[in-house]
Amino acid sequence: MTDTVLSVRDLRVEFHTRRGVLKAIDGVSFDIAKGEVLGVVGESGAGKSVTGSAVIGLIDPPGRIAGGEILLSGQRIDNLPPEQMRKVRGKRIGMIFQDPLTSLNPLYRISEQLIETITTHTDLSPSQARTRAIELLAEVGIPAPDRRIDSYPHEFSGGMRQRVVIALALCAEPELIIADEPTTALDVSVQAQIITLLKRLGREHGTAIMLVTHDMGVIAETADRVAVMYAGRVAEIGPVHDVVRNPLHPYAEGLMGAIPTLAGEEARLVQIPGSMPRLTRIPPGCAFNPRCGYRFGRCTVDRPDPLPWRGHKVACHLYDPASGPHFLGEGRTLAAAEKHEEATA
Amino acid sequence: MIAYILRSLAQGVLVLLVVAFIAFSMFRFVGDPVANMVGQEASLQDRQELRERLGLERPFPMQFVIFIGNAVQGDFGISYRQARPVSDLMRERLPATLELAMLSALFATVAGVGLGVYAAIRRDGFLANTVMTVSLVGVSLPTFLIGIGLIYIFAVELRWLPSFGRGQTVAIGWWTTGLLTESGLKSLVLPVLTLGFFQLTLIMRLVRSEMLEVMRADFIRFARARGIPERTIEFRHALRNTLIPVVTIAGLQLGSIIAFAIVTETVFQWPGLGSLFVQAVQFADVPVMAAYLVFVATVFVIMNLLVDITYVVLDPRLRGGRTLAK
């Protein structure tokens, strides 16, 4: 594919702690194409945010990239020297953080922060940068940008500040934007505005967007494809509507079952029993096997590789022909596997 | 902004009034000043005359009002011991103390902030750790010991610097300065180091821990994600945020440099206000003590006001008055 913006191959991130090596990311692979929005979901600690930090090269010590490759438009960036990586940040990859209230330096006018970023990455003079900054503010929907540009961050509301943060991420027209829980700290009504804005920017500029969130509603509304992460691994990745309606991986099924719907007839939401394993003690085989209702012998021994399946990629032995009678052949779904389990029990 | 400063000013005046009252009350409790001033042979009539001349016959509140009225005009009465106006004594001693204190404050702030930033940026470096260890000594050693130690090394053993006095001074109007002569400058070195060392270590440790705190903030992470160079992040984004809490502590600490140079002045026989005060205490020279007390309070009030103004300069959130977002 020539229009692949981001390509992550078998990425591993480890944190060396006193209690041992913590595998925050363990063999994650995915691609994001130009103009595409990839949603990354999973519970806390699944490795969503660390993946984003790894891509932009901002993993805090003692964490480090232990293996794999990250390619930005075909160029490897995970092994760049720090100074060159700094030039990639902000210029080719923009990042948006969760809390717009704390993302901006409270002591500087937003004009100063915008101009600083623009002049860092382009040859524009400060006055040209100011003109560009006003354009950017207008683009992200800040009213009267030529007046508001000289305001301080505390003079904006939360939603407006997140718009400023997005403008800052857009300063150098990056190829990729990593949005780490961009709407979590905002009111629901403002959330929708920010999501609409992100979608529009991705469409108009062809920017690839990696949207990290635990909010399935946001993913369903925004993303083209979704990657479901569990214990530092990708459990399933596929087109968003497909994954939401017909999740293949038992964990994805559980996750979708836990989404409240207004039209739903079931009174109770389905919980996934148990909790995610500690990252220092991930069980052998499939990381999800202790909580999985479809577990069989192979699951506790072999680690499943992500295999293509009906346009998805699923890391589950149920979709591996080598699993023999447990293999869910064409046309069979998780419900069939359930019956099979009951019959053999 | 103006209202903010006026409010600080009003608070300062209130503090000064309270301190003046305490200072004034000393006249009541530290024995009979007349007994100290006249000889054994003075007649009852002499004593009575002196009493009236000093205004000690008037009722207490009346005396306080007069005391305040005079104090505002810079008149703190007449020293019991030296029989000269207290304001003259203070004025003679003030330049010595202010020069010492200002240089110490400058030394402590510049070196303290510089070393603190360095220790924060090179958190685990060998030099940074050494600086931190030495600073622990500075925080825990008493000032007089540092002074005596410096005298022993640089005055007694190496004979580089004088161990006492101001050296030669030059008079500019009523102000005398030691900054223009070689002996005056040499004499300043040891007292300045002694007086500033504790404040230096304190400011340094404070700057370091605040800076480490700020470097963990989200907006620093976001600045990194924007590709801002690390130096710019440290000195533009982190340092200014670090300074807000540092200014509070440092401001008051610098006030105490000016106000409580007593120990250093005693160790180096520095002819400043501190040694004047020590002598005054020995002789129960109440007018001098009272004036010194009011002086110290004034210094603190002024420092506090400066700190408040610095806040506003540093932090736009305190400025207010501008149009706010809906």
Side-chain angles (χ1 to χ4, degrees), chain A:
Chain A
M1 266 203 294
T2 49
D3 62 349
T4 302
V5 172
L6 179 72
S7 180
V8 174
R9 292 275 151 266
D10 199 27
L11 181 69
R12 285 184 292 122
V13 174
E14 293 176 350
F15 286 74
H16 290 261
T17 64
R18 250 173 282 168
R19 291 189 187 166
V21 177
L22 187 152
K23 291 181 176 172
I25 307 284
D26 191 5
V28 163
S29 302
F30 59 87
D31 292 315
I32 309 180
K34 195 163 189 275
E36 184 184 43
V37 181
L38 176 76
V40 180
V41 281
E43 24 190 321
S44 304
K48 318 178 292 273
S49 292
V50 179
T51 308
S53 301
V55 170
I56 200 163
L58 280 180
I59 293 178
D60 293 319
R64 61 182 194 89
I65 295 181
E69 292 181 353
I70 301 166
L71 295 114
L72 183 64
S73 303
Q75 185 204 351
R76 223 179 136 177
I77 57 166
D78 57 293
N79 54 1
L80 284 180
E83 180 58 19
Q84 285 194 38
M85 191 59 210
R86 174 186 72 73
K87 287 179 182 156
V88 170
R89 284 198 291 271
K91 184 169 176 64
R92 299 182 59 193
I93 307 176
M95 189 149 185
I96 301 163
F97 288 105
Q98 176 173 346
D99 191 351
L101 301 186
T102 55
S103 292
L104 299 167
N105 191 331
L107 304 187
Y108 290 101
R109 298 171 197 277
I110 60 160
S111 56
E112 296 172 279
Q113 305 190 40
L114 281 159
I115 291 168
E116 174 187 43
T117 315
I118 295 169
T119 51
T120 300
H121 296 297
T122 65
D123 296 329
L124 296 182
S125 71
S127 65
Q128 287 170 319
R130 189 183 162 85
T131 314
R132 167 98 181 105
I134 293 172
E135 285 168 21
L136 279 167
L137 289 180
E139 179 159 15
V140 295
I142 293 202
D146 49 333
R147 274 193 300 116
R148 294 312 303 274
I149 188 167
D150 285 315
S151 304
Y152 286 96
H154 70 274
E155 294 167 325
F156 289 92
S157 65
M160 282 296 155
R161 272 192 237 188
Q162 194 63 304
R163 286 172 195 264
V164 173
V165 168
I166 293 172
L168 276 162
L170 287 175
C171 274
E173 301 222 346
E175 296 147 60
L176 171 71
I177 287 183
I178 300 170
D180 191 352
E181 307 264 6
T183 57
T184 310
L186 302 172
D187 290 345
V188 179
S189 57
V190 182
Q191 278 184 9
Q193 295 171 10
I194 295 294
I195 288 302
T196 313
L197 171 65
L198 273 177
K199 272 176 84 168
R200 177 168 64 78
L201 292 172
R203 203 170 52 234
E204 287 174 5
H205 296 265
T207 317
I209 296 176
M210 176 176 165
L211 178 67
V212 174
T213 177
H214 59 256
D215 187 336
M216 278 310 298
V218 169
I219 294 272
E221 219 173 291
T222 324
D224 301 307
R225 285 189 309 136
V226 59
V228 179
M229 287 190 72
Y230 185 80
R233 304 167 185 183
V234 175
E236 179 170 354
I237 185 165
V240 67
H241 291 290
D242 232 22
V243 174
V244 171
R245 286 201 205 107
N246 303 307
L248 298 177
H249 195 284
Y251 174 66
E253 184 199 35
L255 202 60
M256 304 311 151
I259 305 170
T261 52
L262 289 175
E265 283 166 22
E266 286 166 273
R268 293 184 68 88
L269 294 172
V270 187
Q271 282 188 29
I272 306 176
S275 58
M276 208 172 66
R278 282 195 186 176
L279 295 177
T280 45
R281 264 181 260 148
I282 297 175
C286 172
F288 186 61
N289 83 65
R291 301 170 75 183
C292 182
Y294 310 104
R295 179 178 57 185
F296 57 95
R298 204 184 160 191
C299 297
T300 56
V301 190
D302 275 355
R303 181 174 160 184
D305 288 320
L307 298 171
W309 185 260
R310 287 186 214 151
H312 300 210
K313 268 189 176 178
V314 199
C316 178
H317 290 312
L318 290 171
Y319 302 95
D320 181 0
S323 295
H326 296 280
F327 172 55
L328 293 175
E330 202 61 48
R332 295 174 67 203
T333 59
L334 280 173
E338 204 157 17
K339 288 193 187 102
H340 178 80
E341 286 297 309
E342 276 162 16
T344 51

